[in-house]
Amino acid sequence: MNETFMKEKPVFPLMLSMALPMVLSMMVSSLYNIVDSFFIAKISENAMTALSLVFPMQNFINSVCIGFGIGINAVIAFFSGAGQKRTADRAASQGFFMSLVHGAVLTVLCIAVMPRFLRMFTGSAEIVSLGVRYSNIAFAFSLIISLGMTFEKIFQSVGRMQASMVSLMCGCVANIVLDPLMIFGIGPFPAMGIEGAALATGLGQSVTLLVYLVLCVTRPLPVHISVRLMKPGRDILPRIYSIGVPAALNMALPSLLIAALNVLLASFSETYILVLGIYYKLQTFLYLPANGIVQGMRPVIGYNYGAGERARVRRIYRVALAMSGVIMAAGTLICLLVPGTLMGLFTSSETTIAAGETALRLISIGFIVSSVSVISAGALEGLGKGTQSLVISLCRFVVIIIPASFLLSHALGAVGVWHAFWISELLTAVVSLVICRRTLKL
């Protein structure tokens, strides 16, 4: 396959062809997240609270795997654009080997620390038990997750977005189908409760990996994974990690934010912890499609950067920003018009729904402007500017929002935390524009 189309095709049609498959697959993935939470909420409100508390650690695992994959993606795209195919093959091979190592370490580490982690946020023995039962199964699939993410980024780095879409959608559909069967014991399956939800998730991730492996055999990639090229090299792995570590931190920062906000909100009521958990389930329906645009943009902007097409790099950034803005505008409208309906998907408690309505309306004020930081961070990762991307994410998830949440919660109560979201998005957008003007010469 010739990847030169990434520097020859007009920018807007190119971005549509690269981003649309990923947006569609991300929307299906968003639907999975909502459906999964919907069924878990049917078990009990404690089960939903347990899932909310497990989420930061799940996000940490995904962050490490996705972040390292982004490093692989950027390095392969750069060297492909520069015409250095042998080096691109080495990047794919060494990245694959290290993903095996990461997956094994994450499995052992996360299962070991989970009981103590849960007790940091709740004194309920039932919630801790539910969280441990879910996470022991879900985290056992960390190696599968790591390999799946690696293949996803390798496929995307060479423009195989449709293949990535098919793989992701197959896994999500399998998960959606298996969820009710395994949770409630439908057909030949026993009723497994929250363990069934975890197992369905792991099996769905396994289906995704299996589809990637089949596609590798039936439609070989233009970059090759070879055992003889897996030996770590000083010229490849440091470059992958220099992009992948900041990218992983970017992805992991929401986990730190959620953990910090859970501590703040717990001082008011566990209802607000549940509201925050539900919000993060709902917001995936917006930010995963926006992330689909970033995934479509990343290999294109990296390829053109490697090929020396600086003006085209700037056009790609602007088109991606406009596409993300449209998605965020739609999300803002939905959250302002029907917040109670959205919250009602996950709880029947009138108190929780009322608190959630307020949260969604306030947080959604920052959706549109958040497009600037989301696209800017993704573009910088594609260019191999991992440190600059990390600065944006630190502002968005730590430096601004955590102090703002602390101060505003003392002044306004729990509602102050929701105000901190849009304030943080606005200020981070300003920082993002300053960084990108210097880097991309906008």
Side-chain angles (χ1 to χ4, degrees):
M1 179 181 178
N2 187 354
E3 303 99 41
T4 56
F5 74 93
M6 286 197 270
K7 71 173 183 178
E8 296 170 353
K9 192 173 181 178
V11 171
F12 184 65
L14 173 63
M15 282 300 299
L16 281 179
S17 67
M18 294 288 284
L20 189 57
M22 298 316 303
V23 169
L24 292 174
S25 60
M26 290 297 98
M27 289 185 73
V28 173
S29 182
S30 300
L31 179 62
Y32 144 67
N33 277 295
I34 291 174
V35 170
D36 187 57
S37 298
F38 174 80
F39 286 125
I40 289 176
K42 296 297 181 184
I43 299 172
S44 70
E45 193 161 284
N46 277 347
M48 187 63 196
T49 301
L51 189 64
S52 299
L53 293 176
V54 170
F55 177 77
M57 192 63 73
Q58 281 185 297
N59 189 61
F60 171 75
I61 292 172
N62 288 331
S63 299
V64 173
C65 298
I66 294 172
F68 186 69
I70 289 171
I72 298 170
N73 178 296
V75 173
I76 291 174
F78 179 86
F79 285 116
S80 295
Q84 300 180 36
K85 184 181 182 304
R86 171 78 173 182
T87 309
D89 289 347
R90 291 177 61 216
S93 301
Q94 292 176 33
F96 175 83
F97 173 75
M98 291 309 300
S99 72
L100 290 171
V101 176
H102 296 158
V105 171
L106 286 169
T107 300
V108 175
L109 177 65
C110 292
I111 290 177
V113 304
M114 203 60 207
R116 181 172 294 181
F117 177 82
L118 290 170
R119 292 190 189 101
M120 292 171 58
F121 306 104
T122 180
S124 169
E126 182 184 1
I127 292 175
V128 171
S129 175
L130 286 166
V132 170
R133 285 157 52 193
Y134 178 88
S135 59
N136 280 348
I137 296 175
F139 296 170
F141 288 88
S142 296
L143 180 59
I144 300 296
I145 295 170
S146 183
L147 290 175
M149 293 296 182
T150 297
F151 275 110
E152 174 185 310
K153 300 309 177 189
I154 291 175
F155 270 78
Q156 291 172 4
S157 70
V158 296
R160 292 277 293 274
M161 315 307 285
Q162 290 82 3
S164 189
M165 176 187 71
V166 169
S167 301
L168 288 170
M169 291 181 72
C170 286
C172 288
V173 170
N175 201 336
I176 290 170
V177 171
L178 289 173
D179 251 341
L181 302 181
M182 292 186 162
I183 292 173
F184 304 115
I186 299 173
F189 299 95
M192 300 176 64
I194 199 167
E195 290 97 330
L199 184 57
T201 297
L203 292 176
Q205 292 159 343
S206 301
V207 168
T208 295
L209 176 59
L210 179 61
V211 174
Y212 278 126
L213 294 174
V214 170
L215 289 174
C216 282
V217 174
T218 58
R219 295 186 60 197
L221 293 164
V223 293
H224 301 106
I225 297 173
S226 170
V227 174
R228 60 188 177 85
L229 297 178
M230 287 183 184
K231 182 179 179 180
R234 294 182 179 179
D235 58 332
I236 296 294
L237 280 185
R239 187 161 186 158
I240 292 176
Y241 277 109
S242 71
I243 302 168
V245 170
L249 290 173
N250 286 345
M251 300 292 297
L253 287 175
S255 297
L256 175 62
L257 172 61
I258 293 169
L261 294 185
N262 280 341
V263 172
L264 279 176
L265 294 170
S267 65
F268 296 101
S269 170
E270 283 193 356
T271 295
Y272 295 113
I273 293 178
L274 178 57
V275 168
L276 184 67
I278 292 173
Y279 161 70
Y280 270 99
K281 291 296 178 180
L282 290 171
Q283 63 103 43
T284 58
F285 199 72
L286 286 177
Y287 284 105
L288 281 184
N291 185 47
I293 294 173
V294 171
Q295 291 190 49
M297 171 190 65
R298 202 180 278 126
V300 175
I301 208 168
Y303 187 97
N304 282 274
Y305 188 67
E309 300 284 343
R310 299 299 190 269
R312 189 171 169 86
V313 165
R314 292 191 290 272
R315 289 199 298 274
I316 292 166
Y317 171 84
R318 290 166 181 157
V319 169
L321 183 59
M323 293 170 69
S324 178
V326 170
I327 291 175
M328 292 302 174
T332 302
L333 189 62
I334 293 170
C335 287
L336 291 176
L337 292 177
V338 291
T341 302
L342 295 175
M343 293 298 300
L345 294 172
F346 306 99
T347 179
S348 58
S349 167
E350 292 184 4
T351 302
T352 304
I353 291 173
E357 285 181 326
T358 301
L360 288 181
R361 286 196 174 105
L362 291 175
I363 294 172
S364 66
I365 296 172
F367 282 170
I368 295 176
V369 74
S370 72
S371 297
V372 177
S373 55
V374 170
I375 296 300
S376 296
L380 291 166
E381 288 169 350
L383 298 175
K385 310 291 184 180
T387 301
Q388 293 92 323
S389 177
L390 179 59
V391 169
I392 293 174
S393 294
L394 281 169
C395 289
R396 189 174 178 218
F397 296 115
V398 178
V399 176
I400 298 173
I401 190 170
I402 292 180
S405 295
F406 178 80
L407 294 174
L408 291 172
S409 66
H410 278 72
L412 304 174
V415 73
V417 174
W418 316 137
H419 279 290
F421 275 84
W422 68 264
I423 292 171
S424 175
E425 296 292 8
L426 181 62
L427 295 178
T428 303
V430 175
V431 173
S432 301
L433 287 175
V434 170
I435 292 174
C436 283
R437 283 185 182 278
R438 293 178 178 175
T439 305
L440 302 179
K441 311 298 182 186
L442 295 176

